[in-house]
Amino acid sequence: MDEAYLDYFILKVEAAQNQPLVIFGELVHLFYQLKSEGILTDQDMYIIKADLNKLMEVCGACERIKSTP
């Protein structure tokens, strides 16, 4: 990962209203890129997608707690 992308990513996350969603999107993009390069298999993607979905469920629960008066 080059430094320019890292700087762009940090700025993108800092500017986002929903930072976990931006991070999720970048992770999904990265994993699909790795799959297209042959680094990840279909089985790897299946496991990763399940874990990413769990992560988003937890983030959603945290957002609901955060917005509760």
Side-chain angles (χ1 to χ4, degrees), residues 16-54:
Q17 278 198 296
N18 189 337
Q19 293 172 337
L21 188 58
V22 171
I23 293 169
F24 173 81
E26 290 295 317
L27 285 172
V28 168
H29 177 74
L30 172 66
F31 291 134
Y32 275 100
Q33 184 178 358
L34 292 173
K35 184 179 182 316
S36 71
E37 294 172 7
I39 296 170
L40 295 177
T41 66
D42 287 337
Q43 185 177 4
D44 294 331
M45 290 299 291
Y46 179 80
I47 293 167
I48 289 168
K49 284 174 25 177
D51 289 339
L52 286 175
N53 287 334
K54 289 176 191 174

Side-chain angles (χ1 to χ4, degrees), residues 55-66:
L55 173 65
M56 289 312 296
E57 288 175 16
V58 170
C59 288
C62 291
E63 282 294 319
R64 287 189 292 280
I65 291 169
K66 178 182 168 186

